[in-house]
Each structure stands twice: as structure tokens, then as C-alpha cells.
Amino acid sequence: MRTIDWDDEKGVVELIDQTLLPADYKIVVCARVDELIDAIKRLKVRGAPALGVAGAFGVVLACKNVRNETELKAEIEKLKKARPTAINLSYGVNRALQAAMRGRTVQEMKSYALDEAKRLAEEDVAVNKKIGEYGSELLDDGDVVLTHCNAGRLACVDWGTALGVIRTAIEKGKRIEVIAGETRPLNQGSRLTVWELLQDKIPVTLITDSMGAAVMREGRVNKVLVGADRVVKEGVFNKIGTYMHAVVSKAHEIPFYVAAPLSSFDTNRSYKDVEIEERSPEELIFCGEKQIAPLDVKVYNPAFDFTPFELIEAVITEKGVIHPTNFLSKKV
Amino acid sequence: MRTIDWDDEKGVVELIDQTLLPADYKIVVCARVDELIDAIKRLKVRGAPALGVAGAFGVVLACKNVRNETELKAEIEKLKKARPTAINLSYGVNRALQAAMRGRTVQEMKSYALDEAKRLAEEDVAVNKKIGEYGSELLDDGDVVLTHCNAGRLACVDWGTALGVIRTAIEKGKRIEVIAGETRPLNQGSRLTVWELLQDKIPVTLITDSMGAAVMREGRVNKVLVGADRVVKEGVFNKIGTYMHAVVSKAHEIPFYVAAPLSSFDTNRSYKDVEIEERSPEELIFCGEKQIAPLDVKVYNPAFDFTPFELIEAVITEKGVIHPTNFLSKKV
């Protein structure tokens, strides 16, 4: 199934529980908006584009339990705050809300929101295919591409942004291998990227995040390709560790690419004005049941970091490829 | 107790089981050389200087079960191969073996080896204190020092190399804070470095390895200080991820220091001739009992990487501080 979808018969959101992969494949059913908020907070659904669609379906679920526009807007504020850094969640919520506002009754609002959410889901797949088209031109036959976190099918409705580029390149007959960083602390790379690439029989090698520089020095990688949670005036927010890969790829003269739908763009905003979500210390103190640090240690656990455009060779969108250094005037 | 020690009464090696920390503190008793080899392979004892002393005590244990020099040398070959990258293991073995060779009977050989192994253990503590003296001059009051893996008391007999420098600086009244990278895949940073610093009430913040660049960009770090497994002609072998930290610290103009006893020096050798130990894929597929990657994924898991001298501001030894870029003639 798709990463996230609407079940017309039951009137519920269904999504693949990404916290259980790769050991278990289970579908989570969200009949109410608070169930969906919980799923977002626990990263059962994650990835900027998937969060956009989750936000839009969340508006539909919210319509179930409210009597009027005021109550709806109150529910929606909670939904938007489930994860603050990715712009797409707000984007999806706003699109469905705007559509809902055309309704005169709550039932009509729900119906309009649902149409819009479904449209957004279809658009997401179409956008990823376009990103794949443009991005695949940047990859050459025989490339070994390092990626970080999961900007794949599981981060979207289907196909993927960064991994979508790789899928399209392979579809066009190019031989591409992937090196996946495990992406600590939640291992979206080892759990999700590796899982979905193996499903598609795309060759992939798993490394720790700290090996990125070493594999570049050893000549094992010739491109880096990641997704984005938010593109701002001066650069890109993405999963923590992205900036490290960008710095080391620059030092090794390896091109660093970002694949991002225009819905991730928030380019009127400065990086200084973006709140970076800080997550729980437990993510670094435990791994499953195993305790891997003293319980009383102080932990710094930002979920994202910022990569300035001067480290980015190109941003791949559904409208084409942008080379940000071409129009960069000053160092951030 | 010390990280590794000899029990005169029982005639056995005792060591802190570093695989169980921080959840459990247990002492492993090795009465035979194969038990010690097993402890080394499983990283119950690890860290270049501690491995040197383990190697020397290993020679004493080997003397227990052999009838002559030939049999002793055969046992010792297995011991040396327990971990190939750190030079110190061979160094410690060779020192104790050379001493043993002065004995005419196996009993005498054992006795000479034991004296030498104990001398090596005492030397290790003295060397670390000297490294601490020299290195502490490089740290300023108020410094925040990023470290990787564990180059502390647990990597040595006592005090530590990189963490020994921090201990001495604090002893001299400087306020130093530490940021510890967790050091995937075996988490020596989160399990060991954090544990021993908290024991000494030294302020420490834990991060994932991939956050190193981000904390530098945010101005949270002003020095980087690590240990070394082997210093060769052109640079330093140390725990995988060291090279990444060196590259990103260079990009942020943050000095990168290596603390290493002269016993880690193998400067007649080129980095090209050093075998880098590759460890089991399971280390990235499981974390404790939790499966964090598909079982059939291909994994690249080198235990060490190489950092060339041009990225290293200084190497701190027990004889003083070396600034390798002063005498570097060409880029590696």
C-alpha cells in the first residue's frame, strides 16, 4: 500500500507504522485527529511530503468531532504543532482547511477537505515523479550515491524525493548503487531507506553516519543526495547529520544534491526564524530495551540541522533543477 | 579498580567488562590466555593503551600452559591477532615476550613477563599523567571540548589520554566541559566516556556523531580532542568517525588535537600498509535485542579510519606536543 492513504469505506486514515520497520510491517488506523497527532509525534508517519498529506487528512478527521469552524480551527492548531520544523505539515493542513472553509455545514467542510487531501496525495506522487525526471539527469550510469535519513517512498505518499530520483534513474537504465547512513538516533536510514531499497532490489550498503567522510576519502561515493524538511532563504533544513555530510562532501569535491518539492519551500523566511525541534534524551540513552548511556546524562538532541546553499550543488524540484550558488551573493 | 590489573594471589588478569557498562559494572577474570583473547575480541577490554597492557599480561597467562619457547610463541601469535589495527597490542606483547626470553625455564619466563607487564601498567599511568601535563596547556578556562569514542581511563590502565588531558586541565583549575559523540556502532562514547566523566563529575553533553558539524556551526564547541590507535608516517588511525570530526573541525577553524602515547607511534609505516579491522554486520543490524536494519543488508563496518596530519593541529605525547603541519611537506 501507499505510505499514507484514506479508506473511503471506513472513513479513516491508514498508514504504515514506520516505527516497527524493518522487523514488523503493520498498518495503523487513525479514526480521530488525536490518534493521527499521536502517530505524527511518535514518527509512525514521518518525512516532509508524507506529513503534508497527513496534515490534510487530519483536517478531514478533525471535521468529524466538531460543530463549527471555531472548534475546527482549535483542533487544527494542535495538529500543526505535532512537529514544528517541516513546513509541509502546515502546508497540507492549510490546503485542506482552505478547501473546508468553502463548506456551509460541517459535513460539507469535511467533504471539501477530503477532496483536497486526496488531490494533495495524488499531486505528491506526480511531483515526486517530476523530481525523479529532473534529478535522474544529474546521475550517471555507475554512480554510487550516499543518502541520509529516508527521503524515499516512506517519506512521501509513494516513489520518494531523493530515492525517487534514484528510482527514476534506474528505470532509465542507469546502474546506481546507494550507500545509506543509518541516521541516528532513530535509524530512519537503516530501518526505512534500506528496507524500501531492498524491496525494490536496488543495491544498498549500510554505514554508520560517521563513516560518510571515510567512504568519501576512500573513493567509494561520487554523489550525495538527500531530501529536505524546509528550504529557506539561505539554505535547507533536513535531518540532523545532513550538514555534516554537506561539509565533508565539499571537502572531497563531491556534489551534494537536495531533492525537495516546492511545497517544502519557505524562502521568504530566514534560517534564523525556524524553530528546530529538540527531541527526548531517551532517544540517545536507550536503543530499544538496551541502555546505551547513563540515565542521568545531559543530551542535546536536535532533530534537524541547517545546511547553507554554498554547500549545495543543486536543489531538485518538480519544476526543474536550481543551482543556488549561481545566485548566491554572500556567505551565510 | 583500574581498567585492567593482575591479581597476584590468584595469578589471573582482572578487567572491567566494558561491554556491560553503563547498565552493569562487572569484573571479568581471565585465568587463561584464550579467555583474554576472547575478552579482547569482544571488546570487554579495548582502547590502545589498555590493549598494550592486556597483551603483556596475556604473555604471562600464555606461559601457564606451555612447555617451551616454541609453544609460547605459537600462543602469542593468536594473541597478537586478536585485534590487528591498534599497534599497542603487539607492543605490549613484544615487551613482555622479550622479557620472558631472558628466562631459562617456563616458570622464569612467566616471572620475567609478569614483572615487565606490571612495569608497563605503571608506565601507562605515568605516561598519561605526562600527556595530561602537556595537553592541559592547550586547553583554556571555559573550553568546550568535543571528543569521540573513549580515550579515557577505560581505554588505559588509569587517567586516560584525551580524557586525561581534560582531567589534568580541570585539576589545574580550568573549567572544561565535554561534548561526547556516542560513537556508533558500539557506543563507546555514550556508554564509556559519559560514564567515566559522570563518575568524576565532569560536565558532559551527549550527542550523536552526526551532530558534530552542527554543534560546531552553532558555536557550541571550541576544541576537538581524541585518542589514537596508531600514529603512522602521514597521520593517525583512530575510531571510525575521527576523520569526519577532523574534516568538519577544519572547515569550522576549530583546532583538532590527538593525544597519543609514543607506544602508539609506528611512524616508519605508511597508512597504506595498515590493515583496518572490519567488524561484523550485526553491529549495525542490531542494537541490543532490537533489530534496526533488514537482516540481509550489506554492511560496511570498518572499526577505524585514517586522519592525515594536515587536519591535525597537534599530537600530544608524554614527551611533549608535536605540531605535525610544521614539518609536513606534501598533501597525503
Side-chain angles (χ1 to χ4, degrees), chain A residues 19 22-23 148 177 182 184-185 187 190-191 194-195 198 204-211 213-215 217-218 220 240-241 243-244 247-248 251-252 271 284 287-288 290-294 296-302 305-306 308 332, chain B residues 19 22-23 148 177 182 184-185 187 190-191 194-195 198 204-211 213-215 217-218 220 240-241 243-244 247-248 251-252 271 284 287-288 290-294 296-302 305-306 308 332:
Chain A
T19 62
H148 187 60
E177 288 189 30
E182 61 172 355
R184 290 285 298 156
N187 291 84
S190 58
R191 293 191 305 103
V194 168
W195 182 83
L198 288 181
V204 56
T205 302
L206 175 63
I207 61 170
T208 65
D209 304 321
S210 66
M211 289 175 200
V215 296
R217 184 167 200 281
E218 291 165 7
R220 292 171 190 263
I240 186 74
Y243 175 60
M244 165 202 60
V247 171
V248 298
H252 294 86
Y271 74 101
L284 273 85
C287 189
K290 188 176 163 73
Q291 185 195 330
I292 52 171
D296 52 349
V297 65
K298 186 175 152 199
V299 173
Y300 178 55
N301 186 19
D305 60 24
F306 172 70
V332 178
Chain B
T19 61
H148 187 61
E177 288 188 31
E182 62 172 353
R184 291 285 298 156
N187 290 84
S190 58
R191 293 191 304 103
V194 168
W195 182 83
L198 288 181
V204 55
T205 302
L206 175 63
I207 60 170
T208 65
D209 304 321
S210 66
M211 288 175 201
V215 296
R217 185 168 200 281
E218 292 164 8
R220 294 170 189 264
I240 187 75
Y243 175 60
M244 165 201 60
V247 171
V248 299
H252 293 86
Y271 75 100
L284 274 86
C287 189
K290 188 175 162 75
Q291 186 195 328
I292 53 172
D296 52 348
V297 64
K298 186 176 152 198
V299 173
Y300 178 55
N301 186 19
D305 60 25
F306 171 70
V332 178

Side-chain angles (χ1 to χ4, degrees), chain A residues 291-322:
Chain A
Q291 185 195 330
I292 52 171
L295 301 176
D296 52 349
V297 65
K298 186 175 152 199
V299 173
Y300 178 55
N301 186 19
F304 303 95
D305 60 24
F306 172 70
T307 300
F309 280 135
E310 65 255 31
L311 300 178
I312 299 171
E313 175 73 21
V315 181
I316 307 157
T317 77
E318 68 270 32
K319 299 284 190 196
V321 174
I322 302 166

Side-chain angles (χ1 to χ4, degrees), chain A residues 162-281:
Chain A
L163 300 190
V165 168
I166 289 164
R167 285 193 169 94
T168 304
I170 289 172
E171 214 175 50
K172 288 182 173 177
K174 294 176 182 175
R175 283 159 301 180
I176 310 288
E177 288 189 30
V178 178
I179 293 185
E182 61 172 355
T183 316
R184 290 285 298 156
L186 294 179
N187 291 84
Q188 291 92 337
S190 58
R191 293 191 305 103
L192 308 178
T193 291
V194 168
W195 182 83
E196 66 165 86
L197 292 176
L198 288 181
Q199 291 260 318
D200 284 7
K201 302 197 187 335
I202 296 172
V204 56
T205 302
L206 175 63
I207 61 170
T208 65
D209 304 321
S210 66
M211 289 175 200
V215 296
M216 288 181 198
R217 184 167 200 281
E218 291 165 7
R220 292 171 190 263
V221 168
N222 52 338
K223 306 259 160 85
V224 181
L225 174 54
V226 299
D229 288 84
R230 191 190 288 240
V231 181
V232 296
K233 208 186 285 184
E234 311 93 340
V236 169
F237 285 87
N238 192 45
K239 178 56 56 198
I240 186 74
T242 300
Y243 175 60
M244 165 202 60
H245 284 307
V247 171
V248 298
S249 62
K250 188 68 152 188
H252 294 86
E253 295 171 6
I254 290 172
F256 184 91
Y257 299 112
V258 173
L262 292 171
S263 58
S264 313
F265 278 56
D266 188 21
T267 42
N268 288 327
R269 197 182 300 261
S270 165
Y271 74 101
K272 293 170 198 157
D273 301 325
V274 175
E275 178 193 352
I276 293 191
E277 175 187 0
E278 265 200 63
R279 297 185 57 85
S280 150

Side-chain angles (χ1 to χ4, degrees), chain A residues 126-158:
Chain A
V127 158
N128 286 359
K129 292 279 187 160
K130 288 300 284 180
I131 289 173
E133 279 298 318
Y134 286 115
S136 63
E137 295 301 314
L138 301 172
L139 299 188
D140 296 312
D141 187 38
D143 271 350
V144 180
V145 179
L146 174 68
T147 190
H148 187 60
C149 197
N150 175 263
R153 167 176 290 155
L154 288 167
C156 305
V157 174
D158 203 349

